Amino acid sequence: MTRNIVFRSVRVFDGESETLRDGLNVVVEGGVIREISERPAADNAEVVDCGGRVLMPGLIDAHVHVYAAGLNLGRVLQSPVSYLAHFAAQFLRASLDRGFTTLRDVGGADVGLASAIKDGLLDRVPRLFYGGRAISQTGGHGDFRPGDHSLDARHYCGCSYHIDQLAVIADGVDAVRKAVREELRRGASHIKIMASGGLASPTDPLDRCQYSDDEIRAAVEEAERAGSYVAAHCHPTEAVRRAAALGVKSIEHATLIDLPTAEYVAKRGSFTVPTMAVIIALVEKGAELGFPPVSMEKLRRVADSALSSLEIMKRAGVKMGFGTDLLGALHVRQSTEFTLRAKVLPAIDVLRSACVVNAELLGEAGKLGCIREGALADLLVLDGNPFEDMSVLGSGGDRLPIIMQEGRFHKRTI
């Protein structure tokens, strides 16, 4: 019979409250939080004396690409799928080491990877919500074919048919409907569409909208009919507003948003998932690690305004989730999203984004991203107080003596 595990003498951040609750004992049984109280532990319980340390929920990153094994995505897509799977395994394990017990992949991860996790072929990895392949128009952000007659262009079929591990191209309402249905058939928990230009794609202007209103409506209708939702890649403010107006639930990046648009997004009840870590990482390391020159030029147009977009969305009351979007070797910077956001946002907003806000976005409120009775026991013990020093979470897991996922210790040094 498995004994209960009791975290004794903890200061609890429950994922939402602005204050820590002191002197509590948190009881875990069967992978679930069974009790939060001041009562002493039962005699047969396994006691973890935390000595007044902070206990908080496991972290949720709602914007990753676990198959994105490099910064030049055109070249990544020429890699053998077996190589990408090994990269994904490394990415997943490293994320759990950093305290991320749940990830949402918004372009690439698939039923094969999810099945490998479910069947125990990949252990000690985060819980994974995957959206399958992103859906893009021809020449859109998911179309990584070169636009010239370079050698790389010869790898693509002359009929222009295009499908790869990260994206599928669909043009027209019927094609979009079919693509959405196909990803849902393959087990996607959500649908990702490309609704504006992006940084990593070679041929699409960053500040232009993509897909017609009718095509986006079709994606939203199909997803909602299946009990799912749409996440949309959007940088310019016009694309953000269109996405919210057309029923998109999760707006990714929103880097160039303005205040009127942010207020509209808040009114519509859509979420945004800003991704600061990737922007700063690419500014500092992109050219060195092979981010294409055309992409570096696009990056310069968004880098200066990225952090100010957080302040705009905070002012408007937008529900901001937590995402990182890091590619290739840059995934080691996943935890820097905390310290970057803390430069312009109150600590409580940064913490909530990776806990209760992301849990609500995933449809897992009360189950993930919180410490409450009946929630899954995804728990972190911290050497420090994130309300006073966000680097306790921004240091890549070094200051997390305990990482627990669903009642099992991934790491325990106390």
Side-chain angles (χ1 to χ4, degrees):
M1 182 177 176
T2 303
R3 293 192 300 169
N4 291 354
I5 299 170
V6 179
F7 291 90
R8 184 171 69 191
S9 185
V10 291
R11 305 174 67 199
V12 173
F13 169 59
D14 63 7
E16 183 172 19
S17 300
E18 296 188 40
T19 57
L20 300 174
R21 296 171 61 195
D22 294 336
L24 294 176
N25 297 325
V26 176
V27 180
V28 173
E29 178 186 10
V32 173
I33 298 170
R34 290 298 181 196
E35 183 180 342
I36 304 168
S37 72
E38 297 179 356
R39 290 195 298 183
D43 291 340
N44 65 339
E46 178 183 353
V47 176
V48 182
D49 191 338
C50 296
R53 290 179 174 88
V54 172
L55 180 77
M56 70 171 289
L59 307 171
I60 305 171
D61 188 337
H63 192 120
V64 301
H65 299 284
V66 299
Y67 282 152
L71 275 63
N72 186 327
L73 294 181
R75 295 195 181 279
V76 167
L77 296 175
Q78 298 172 30
S79 302
V81 175
S82 54
Y83 178 86
L84 301 182
H86 284 291
F87 175 83
Q90 181 190 64
F91 188 133
L92 290 164
R93 291 182 180 123
S95 293
L96 188 54
D97 289 341
R98 294 186 281 262
F100 290 92
T101 53
T102 301
L103 301 180
R104 183 185 68 153
D105 188 289
V106 285
D110 57 10
V111 65
L113 184 62
S115 296
I117 295 171
K118 178 183 176 182
D119 294 343
L121 301 179
L122 279 177
D123 60 354
R124 303 173 73 84
V125 297
R127 184 179 298 103
L128 180 67
F129 292 82
Y130 69 93
R133 297 163 298 193
I135 300 172
S136 171
Q137 68 177 47
T138 295
H141 183 51
D143 188 346
F144 294 101
R145 296 171 298 175
D148 56 20
H149 296 286
S150 65
L151 179 64
D152 286 348
R154 300 175 197 171
H155 292 279
Y156 298 95
C157 176
C159 68
S160 298
Y161 177 76
H162 174 76
I163 189 171
D164 58 46
Q165 191 60 44
L166 299 182
V168 61
I169 291 176
D171 294 309
V173 169
D174 288 345
V176 169
R177 287 191 189 280
K178 183 175 180 179
V180 170
R181 290 171 179 172
E182 178 63 18
E183 296 312 312
L184 292 171
R185 183 189 70 81
R186 290 158 55 91
S189 70
H190 59 276
I191 294 297
K192 168 77 172 294
I193 66 170
M194 303 304 195
S196 86
L199 300 178
S201 43
T203 61
D204 57 332
L206 179 70
D207 57 354
R208 297 297 180 180
C209 294
Q210 295 177 5
Y211 273 134
S212 68
D213 288 3
D214 286 344
E215 287 167 314
I216 294 176
R217 284 194 194 96
V220 170
E221 288 171 3
E222 290 299 324
E224 290 182 348
R225 188 177 295 118
S228 182
Y229 67 92
V230 169
H233 164 100
C234 300
H235 280 293
T237 196
E238 182 184 354
V240 173
R241 186 178 183 90
R242 284 180 75 227
L246 295 170
V248 169
K249 178 180 179 180
S250 177
I251 299 170
E252 312 302 303
H253 313 300
T255 319
L256 301 174
I257 197 169
D258 60 20
L259 183 58
T261 301
E263 291 171 343
Y264 181 74
V265 170
K267 181 180 178 181
R268 293 284 298 175
S270 297
F271 294 77
T272 62
V273 183
T275 53
M276 298 297 108
V278 67
I279 293 172
I280 303 307
L282 288 173
V283 167
E284 296 177 357
K285 291 287 186 179
E288 176 186 331
L289 294 176
F291 203 46
V294 64
S295 296
M296 288 299 298
E297 182 59 33
K298 291 182 182 182
L299 175 66
R300 295 183 187 100
R301 298 173 59 188
V302 302
D304 291 342
S305 63
L307 286 174
S308 63
S309 71
L310 299 179
E311 295 176 292
I312 289 170
M313 288 184 276
K314 163 68 176 174
R315 237 163 83 198
V318 175
K319 293 186 288 188
M320 281 188 283
F322 182 104
T324 56
D325 195 27
L326 292 158
L327 310 176
L330 294 177
H331 76 80
V332 299
R333 294 184 173 222
Q334 189 175 25
S335 300
T336 65
E337 187 76 23
F338 286 101
T339 46
L340 289 169
R341 292 189 182 210
K343 292 180 178 181
V344 296
L345 295 176
I348 184 60
D349 290 335
V350 181
L351 296 170
R352 286 171 177 162
S353 69
C355 296
V356 293
V357 176
N358 271 355
E360 182 186 354
L361 171 57
L362 294 174
E364 299 289 336
K367 185 177 179 181
L368 300 178
C370 62
I371 295 181
R372 66 176 66 173
E373 293 176 359
L376 291 179
D378 289 0
L379 301 171
L380 309 178
V381 175
L382 281 56
D383 277 335
N385 182 348
F387 286 92
E388 299 170 353
D389 178 12
M390 193 59 71
S391 69
V392 68
L393 291 174
S395 59
D398 292 344
R399 295 169 67 183
L400 305 178
I402 288 180
I403 300 172
M404 172 178 277
Q405 185 188 39
E406 211 161 320
R408 296 183 297 273
F409 287 106
H410 173 70
K411 176 184 179 182
R412 180 178 178 183
T413 61
I414 58 172

